[in-house]
Amino acid sequence: MANTAITAILGLGYWFLATHLYPPAEFGDGQTLISAMRLFSSLAGLAFVGTMARFIPVAGRRTGALILYGYAAASGLGLLGAAVFLILLPVWGDAYGHLTGVGPGLFFLGSVLTWTIFTLLDVTLAGLRKAVWVPVVSVVYGLGKMAALAALALAPPSSGVLGGVYLSWIVPAAVVLLPAGRLIAKVVRCHGTHTTFPLSLAQVARFMAGDLPGALSLLLTLYLTPVMVAAWLDDPVTFGYFSLVHTLGCIVGLLAANVGVSVTVEAPAEARARASVVRHAFRRALVLVGPIVVITVAAAPLISWAFGHGAAVAVPLLRLMALAVLPGLVVEIYLATLRSQNQARKLAIVQLGLALSILGVTAALFPVAGIAAVGYATLASQTIVVLLILPDLRRALAVKRSLNRGG
């Protein structure tokens, strides 16, 4: 939760600087390329986050090999996806024209590799029981990103992969990886002497298979959607404001996801105790998330004004994304109860169904609603899923009352 708050604060500072230091078109071009880079960096990285979090703490002497194999597999798959994207570049339209050519393409592939490793850095440190360094890395990277953004704004104007917005994401990440890599190597040498676990490839593969639906749903909603919107729009100015608001909405949504994680960790196997934990999580989440949603909806025009007059085009999207957090909170807590009950099949159906619904409704509404289609799709899909899961969730929450009456 603390790292999410730090990331949000530094992110707001970065976007404020970016929208005031760079022309809207240049900012939008940079965000378009960043969206594509993050898509392919997350292509395999998301699948490995849960796996590394599960097995690094208990891998013993095989910790180093597990980390290296995880990084190599995630990087290889990400680079493969990015290479296919570059080969099929004409299919995506003019929005990604800056990647045409050998030089920009190679730099883009290097960026995907850098960001893939950087994405796995937090979970590696946490798995090695060095989570205290995670917010430190976030602060150093966030401040470095803002410093690079300001410094590059003074350089001669450039676009594409050499634009200030894009470079401000990649260069600080590459710099942070150097000391972080040395720290991880040092910790691994000590970590391997304290824990032992008969780790096998089959165990890792089974876990990854169970984790895959969740990773795929995040890939579709958080990373593929912006790439598709950029191609549909072919308007860097509007896309710049879309990406800013979409990311803001996702950050608020992360608060709901963090509540779900706490339920997964705390919820016991016994039904009555689990129901008590879930009810407590609902109350705590509403107190935390409710005011943020209300403030965001009411102050959406003011928030957009802070990022420039052109950002007003994204006010409806911001309000819809904020409202979608409320049904999303119910969905996240329900998913957490399914995890605590080991109901993997039902978990996969809900996650993938929600993701495909958001993607499909966005595609259907985009010609009519523009960028607000993503907000309508997210709110409608989350609400429909809540209506579908409500009977099951009510039964889980009513366990304690029924048991008390029976006793």
Side-chain angles (χ1 to χ4, degrees):
M1 190 74 80
N3 194 51
T4 300
I6 291 171
T7 302
I9 293 170
L10 292 173
L12 287 171
Y14 173 85
W15 292 318
F16 181 83
L17 284 176
T19 53
H20 287 79
L21 292 177
Y22 290 82
E26 193 172 338
F27 171 70
D29 275 331
Q31 289 297 318
T32 298
L33 298 182
I34 289 168
S35 296
M37 179 269 296
R38 293 180 69 194
L39 169 65
F40 296 107
S41 298
S42 304
L43 191 61
L46 285 172
F48 282 90
V49 166
T51 303
M52 295 179 76
R54 167 66 180 88
F55 290 106
I56 286 178
V58 295
R61 298 184 184 279
R62 305 190 69 176
T63 301
L66 175 65
I67 293 173
L68 288 176
Y69 289 151
Y71 277 36
S75 299
L77 290 173
L79 289 173
L80 178 61
V84 173
F85 173 75
L86 292 174
I87 293 171
L88 300 177
L89 210 53
V91 176
W92 292 90
D94 295 335
Y96 298 97
H98 290 301
L99 295 177
T100 303
V102 176
L106 290 176
F107 191 89
F108 180 73
L109 292 175
S111 304
V112 170
L113 175 62
T114 299
W115 196 255
T116 301
I117 298 173
F118 186 78
T119 300
L120 295 174
L121 190 60
D122 288 359
V123 71
T124 303
L125 291 170
L128 291 170
R129 298 185 176 90
K130 295 295 179 181
V132 66
W133 287 101
V134 173
V136 174
V137 170
S138 296
V139 169
V140 171
Y141 173 70
L143 294 177
K145 189 164 68 168
M146 286 191 283
L149 186 73
L152 291 166
L154 302 175
S158 185
S159 59
V161 292
L162 296 181
V165 175
Y166 189 74
L167 287 178
S168 69
W169 274 69
I170 301 305
V171 174
V175 172
V176 167
L177 287 180
L178 297 176
R182 294 185 64 181
L183 173 64
I184 289 172
K186 181 179 179 180
V187 174
V188 164
R189 287 194 293 269
C190 301
H191 181 81
T193 63
H194 295 301
T195 55
T196 56
F197 187 76
L199 193 63
S200 70
L201 183 61
Q203 288 172 309
V204 175
R206 282 196 300 269
F207 185 89
M208 285 190 67
D211 218 28
L212 191 59
L216 184 57
S217 65
L218 282 175
L219 186 74
L220 293 174
T221 53
L222 294 185
Y223 299 106
L224 180 59
T225 299
V227 172
M228 294 177 63
V229 168
W232 292 335
L233 277 174
D234 194 17
D235 177 1
V237 175
T238 303
F239 181 77
Y241 295 126
F242 163 81
S243 64
L244 192 157
V245 169
H246 185 259
T247 306
L248 279 175
C250 291
I251 287 176
V252 178
L254 276 177
L255 296 174
N258 285 334
V259 173
V261 170
S262 69
V263 172
T264 303
V265 173
E266 298 170 11
E270 197 270 321
R272 179 164 42 181
R274 183 171 59 246
S276 177
V277 168
V278 171
R279 280 193 294 271
H280 177 69
F282 266 123
R283 289 192 294 268
R284 183 176 58 188
L286 286 176
V287 170
L288 175 66
V289 177
I292 295 176
V293 171
V294 171
I295 292 171
T296 303
V297 171
L302 183 61
I303 295 171
S304 69
W305 174 81
F307 296 102
H309 296 294
V313 69
V315 167
L317 174 62
L318 179 56
R319 284 176 165 157
L320 290 165
M321 293 286 289
L323 288 172
V325 171
L326 294 176
L329 175 64
V330 179
V331 174
E332 287 293 341
I333 292 179
Y334 177 71
L335 293 176
T337 61
L338 294 180
R339 292 188 188 97
S340 67
Q341 296 171 314
N342 294 318
Q343 297 192 42
R345 183 178 179 181
K346 189 179 290 187
L347 181 67
I349 291 173
V350 174
Q351 288 176 315
L352 291 177
L354 177 61
L356 292 173
S357 174
I358 292 174
L359 204 61
V361 175
T362 298
L365 292 182
F366 192 85
V368 178
I371 60 174
V374 178
Y376 286 117
T378 304
L379 178 59
S381 299
Q382 297 275 28
T383 303
I384 291 171
V385 170
V386 167
L387 294 176
L388 292 174
I389 66 175
L390 200 55
D392 199 13
L393 190 58
R394 288 182 64 182
R395 282 193 294 271
L397 293 175
V399 168
K400 185 177 180 180
R401 297 188 186 93
S402 61
L403 288 175
N404 284 343
R405 285 198 295 269

